[in-house]
Amino acid sequence: MSATPTAHTATPATPRRHRARLLVPAAIAVLAFTATTAAADTSPTTAAGRTSTAHDRRAAEQKPKAMLDAWLRLWNGDLAQAPGIISPGFRVHAALLDGGDGSSIRGVDGLVAWIGQTRAAFRDLRFTIEVPPLVDGRYASVRWTATGTYAGGFPGAKAQPGTVVTFTGTDTLRMRDGRFAEYWVNSDTLSLLTQLQAL
């Protein structure tokens, strides 16, 4: 390429130079913006914002864990936990021992009544976490083991009252506005019925 412009290169037929003149200021503006952004990222205000965001993220991660701790205490008999962690529109999805699907169990009162019935059938029923909870966005899942003493009265059961039973299950819960709104449970009903000699 020649460094000396000719009459031909000065005509409008050479948009390359014109584009170069437009691109250079644009490139400088982009570099200036990038430098300004980089400088802002190192400022104390932004660093504080990042610290705050990290703190908020940790708090958001710990909130489901605290809710699951309260959920465990609730099933272990501390029924006062329910209003603080259960949504008024709470719904249950479960294959119940009476053949129901859990849709009749609604809200705080429905869940508390169901837990009360379960605990009446098994004195000293105790749930423990078998696998640490998994939390993904609005959903939490936890694997548990339950052990309790059969109190008698289960239809078709031949096990004597006082028989200790142990069974496992997995709870999956949907969280909304800081409370549990929906609940899916899968428990080892076959193992429980076998121990109750109901099969």
Side-chain angles (χ1 to χ4, degrees):
M1 288 176 52
S2 171
T4 307
T6 63
H8 178 70
T9 59
T11 65
T14 57
R16 187 179 293 167
R17 254 189 218 160
H18 181 65
R19 264 187 278 151
R21 281 194 301 258
L22 291 175
L23 289 175
V24 169
I28 291 170
V30 168
L31 288 173
F33 177 76
T34 304
T36 303
T37 305
D41 283 346
T42 59
S43 70
T45 302
T46 305
R50 281 198 309 265
T51 303
S52 176
T53 302
H55 174 69
D56 292 345
R57 195 177 319 118
R58 278 195 303 274
E61 289 168 359
Q62 290 174 358
K63 176 72 173 171
K65 291 176 184 170
M67 289 172 63
L68 287 168
D69 287 343
W71 176 255
L72 181 66
R73 290 194 301 275
L74 172 61
W75 277 94
N76 280 333
D78 184 1
L79 302 181
Q81 295 292 324
I85 61 167
I86 304 301
S87 167
F90 182 80
R91 296 185 305 158
V92 174
H93 306 277
L96 303 178
L97 291 174
D98 65 3
D101 63 0
S103 60
S104 63
I105 302 167
R106 293 282 187 154
V108 174
D109 293 339
L111 179 62
V112 166
W114 183 35
I115 293 172
Q117 290 171 348
T118 303
R119 296 190 62 80
F122 301 97
R123 297 191 314 261
D124 65 10
L125 187 62
R126 186 83 185 149
F127 290 84
T128 56
I129 301 300
E130 189 176 299
V131 175
L134 301 173
V135 178
D136 184 10
R138 296 178 300 141
Y139 293 90
S141 187
V142 64
R143 174 85 174 165
W144 49 260
T145 299
T147 301
T149 306
Y150 176 51
F154 188 85
K158 298 182 182 97
Q160 293 297 315
T163 300
V164 175
V165 297
T166 299
F167 56 104
T168 59
T170 302
D171 289 353
T172 301
L173 298 129
R174 181 175 64 87
M175 297 169 281
R176 183 178 177 195
D177 299 328
R179 294 184 181 186
F180 293 123
E182 205 164 0
Y183 171 43
W184 293 262
V185 60
N186 291 298
S187 56
D188 191 350
T189 307
L190 177 60
S191 174
L192 177 59
L193 294 177
T194 300
Q195 293 172 73
L196 293 175
Q197 300 173 35
L199 294 177

